[in-house]
């Protein structure tokens, strides 16, 4: 089944404890992206990647890191989480960034709470 | 900067009625406008999209209209059913080469049986 998977689905952690949220897609998509969803703000892009070893900042990159060593995986890293990073996180992928091929498929989400 | 405004934030309708959600965008070069439906506990899923060279698109009970001059687009759901209850997001893709989508704030639609 074609899908985007994220792990973990739920995570409660404490300020400053490094964590990684994994994202994997099995559709051979070039383009991958991380969003955070907060009430009243919709989905805001954190980082994106147009292909392997190519990553760039989205609208709210502060406090986050990503890597794209393989086409299928795009982990999100919080080196020192803070309470303002408590949010619902979504990974998404699309065939490419080009019009006509950029329907984005979303993962199921990761609900993160930073105490 | 690029911005998408979505209204209303919540919408409650009786089963069988129509529902309309409206979005406006700021980047006149935007050329792709998808709508996503997010059910409880799940990620957003594309339900319909429209490109800037088309004024209207329909798929069974859902339709999207685009007014490029006014820079707004709308989602229309007819004959609503309880399973239409969800959060709906509009988005706009600008002309930049990044493939980035700018999302609206979301509309929580409740369809009462």
């Amino acid at each position: 089944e074609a899908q985007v998977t994220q792990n973990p689905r739920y995570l409660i952690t404490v300020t400053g404890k490094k964590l990684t949220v994994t994202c994997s897609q099995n559709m051979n998509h070039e383009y991958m992206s991380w969003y955070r969803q907060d009430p009243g703000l919709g989905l805001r892009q954190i980082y994106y990647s147009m292909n392997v070893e190519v990553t760039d900042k989205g609208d709210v990159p502060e406090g986050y890191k990503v890597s794209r060593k393989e086409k299928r995986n795009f982990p999100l890293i919080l080196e020192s989480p803070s309470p303002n990073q408590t949010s619902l996180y979504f990974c998404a992928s699309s065939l490419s960034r080009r019009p006509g091929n950029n329907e984005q498929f979303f993962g199921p989400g990761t609900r993160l709470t930073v105490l | 900067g690029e911005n998408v405004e979505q209204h209303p934030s919540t919408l409650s309708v009786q089963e069988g009625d129509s529902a309309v959600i409206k979005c406006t965008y700021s980047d006149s070069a935007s050329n792709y406008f998808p709508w996503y439906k997010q059910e409880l506990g799940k990620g957003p899923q594309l339900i319909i999209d429209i490109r800037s060279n088309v004024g209207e698109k329909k798929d069974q009970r859902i339709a999207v209209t685009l007014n490029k001059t006014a820079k707004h687009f709308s989602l229309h759901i007819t004959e609503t059913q309880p399973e239409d209850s969800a959060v709906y997001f509009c988005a706009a893709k600008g002309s930049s080469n990044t493939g980035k989508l700018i999302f609206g704030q979301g509309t929580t639609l409740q369809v009462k049986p």
Side-chain angles (χ1 to χ4, degrees), chain A residues 67-82:
Chain A
S67 69
R68 188 91 182 273
K69 295 189 174 69
E70 308 161 282
K71 200 170 188 178
R72 63 185 295 129
N73 296 323
F74 190 45
L76 179 70
I77 304 151
L78 284 72
E79 294 270 3
S80 183
S82 62

Side-chain angles (χ1 to χ4, degrees), chain A residues 10-111:
Chain A
Y10 303 91
L11 180 59
I12 301 175
T13 189
V14 295
T15 299
K17 186 175 181 183
K18 181 179 178 180
L19 66 93
T20 299
V21 184
T22 64
C23 172
S24 184
Q25 50 91 8
N26 61 1
M27 296 170 278
N28 201 35
H29 283 174
E30 282 185 356
Y31 188 94
M32 297 186 75
S33 185
W34 275 103
Y35 295 89
R36 60 178 288 173
Q37 182 179 353
D38 301 290
L41 297 177
L43 291 141
R44 294 178 293 167
Q45 191 181 54
I46 302 170
Y47 267 94
Y48 65 94
S49 168
M50 292 200 239
N51 215 324
V52 176
E53 301 292 2
V54 180
T55 63
D56 212 340
K57 297 177 181 178
D59 294 319
V60 287
E62 294 78 20
Y64 304 95
K65 285 173 57 178
V66 293
S67 69
R68 188 91 182 273
K69 295 189 174 69
E70 308 161 282
K71 200 170 188 178
R72 63 185 295 129
N73 296 323
F74 190 45
L76 179 70
I77 304 151
L78 284 72
E79 294 270 3
S80 183
S82 62
N84 64 10
Q85 292 179 297
T86 292
S87 188
L88 179 58
Y89 291 87
F90 288 101
C91 180
S93 73
S94 64
L95 190 60
S96 80
R97 57 185 164 86
R98 301 183 194 89
N101 290 311
N102 56 4
E103 174 188 347
Q104 294 204 19
F105 294 82
F106 283 81
T110 295
R111 184 164 292 283

